[in-house]
Amino acid sequence: MPDLSDATNDHQSEIPQFFAGSNVIITGGSGFLGVLLIEKLLRCCPDIGKLYIFMRAKKGKSPEQRMKEHFDNSVYDRLKKEQPNFEVKIKMVEADLSKLGLELSQEDQELLLDTNVIFHAAATVRFNEALRLAVNINIRGTKELLLLAKRMPNLKSFVYVSTAFSYCVHNFIEEKSYSPPIETDKILTLLDILNDKELDKITPM
């Protein structure tokens, strides 16, 4: 009987073939899902191209420091054993989804144009987050990434990972696309014309 304990050993499956030679952007790579995604892609798709991992400064640590510490996670132990040179496929890209243009350097913008797949998993999921920051990260950041994606001539897939709590105001959530309560550009305009005190007044409690 064949050993099916690790079906990922079969590099001839459709998934490794799809990612072979593909360059991939990952946002939210430091989160729980992002860590698993990075490890799985590197370990199970040996012919993958570059992984562009977006990282920003946080809690007094530079993007470079955070990236170095990122791979100290024990999740990567098996990857390090099986593919000790995996880091040659990693490119840290300094970016901030809460800023216009994602605060990407011109050099990085040009570099990212050869991207084939985007996994957008970055978001703030704090229920009491300030409205300005929540909108800038979750809405403006997504819009800015989509604008960048439109410039990529060889993009094959844009995968958006949404929080499970996006429609927590509903008692029952169907498997369908829901219309937003306000258009994207309208809420971004509100952020631009209202100060923080005015935003606090209209923030749902």
Side-chain angles (χ1 to χ4, degrees):
M1 180 178 293
D3 181 9
L4 300 180
S5 61
D6 189 359
T8 58
N9 285 331
D10 182 8
H11 297 317
Q12 301 306 311
S13 74
E14 292 182 10
I15 294 176
Q17 288 182 39
F18 175 82
F19 284 103
S22 292
N23 298 319
V24 180
I25 286 176
I26 297 177
T27 73
S30 61
F32 172 74
L33 183 61
V35 170
L36 297 178
L37 176 63
I38 292 169
E39 193 277 341
K40 193 73 169 179
L41 286 174
L42 288 170
R43 181 168 57 83
C44 300
C45 302
D47 297 321
I48 198 169
K50 285 286 186 180
L51 256 62
Y52 300 124
I53 301 177
F54 282 18
M55 195 71 69
R56 64 184 174 92
K58 188 176 181 180
K59 296 180 179 178
K61 295 182 179 180
S62 69
E64 292 79 11
Q65 286 177 296
R66 293 186 65 209
M67 177 60 71
K68 184 178 183 301
E69 293 176 1
H70 177 90
F71 287 101
D72 290 337
N73 193 317
S74 59
V75 169
Y76 296 107
D77 287 351
R78 180 178 173 184
L79 172 66
K80 292 175 181 178
K81 181 179 179 180
E82 296 180 2
Q83 300 182 42
N85 297 320
F86 73 92
E87 290 190 52
V88 300
K89 295 180 179 290
I90 300 294
K91 166 66 176 174
M92 189 279 292
V93 176
E94 185 170 357
D96 188 337
L97 269 75
S98 69
K99 307 295 184 182
L100 284 173
L102 309 177
E103 282 207 334
L104 290 169
S105 68
Q106 187 62 40
E107 180 182 355
D108 282 339
Q109 288 185 47
E110 296 299 323
L111 175 69
L112 295 172
L113 293 183
D114 72 348
T115 298
N116 306 108
V117 179
I118 297 174
F119 286 99
H120 181 31
T124 175
V125 294
R126 293 175 57 187
F127 292 137
N128 61 344
E129 188 69 86
L131 184 60
R132 185 179 301 280
L133 183 58
V135 170
N136 276 335
I137 294 176
N138 294 354
I139 299 177
R140 193 189 299 275
T142 301
K143 180 180 179 180
E144 292 292 326
L145 189 57
L146 283 167
L147 290 173
L148 178 63
K150 290 177 69 174
R151 298 169 53 198
M152 299 172 180
N154 299 311
L155 186 68
K156 296 186 288 187
S157 178
F158 186 113
V159 181
Y160 176 73
V161 181
S162 175
T163 167
F165 303 105
S166 290
Y167 281 91
C168 58
V169 294
H170 297 286
N171 292 325
F172 179 77
I173 300 176
E174 301 178 59
E175 291 191 26
K176 69 175 187 179
S177 295
Y178 285 81
S179 298
I182 183 172
E183 294 179 12
T184 299
D185 288 337
K186 286 184 178 180
I187 193 168
L188 293 178
T189 299
L190 279 176
L191 253 65
D192 292 336
I193 64 177
L194 298 180
N195 59 40
D196 289 341
K197 187 175 181 180
E198 291 169 327
L199 282 175
D200 287 342
K201 290 181 180 179
I202 65 172
T203 300
M205 299 299 291

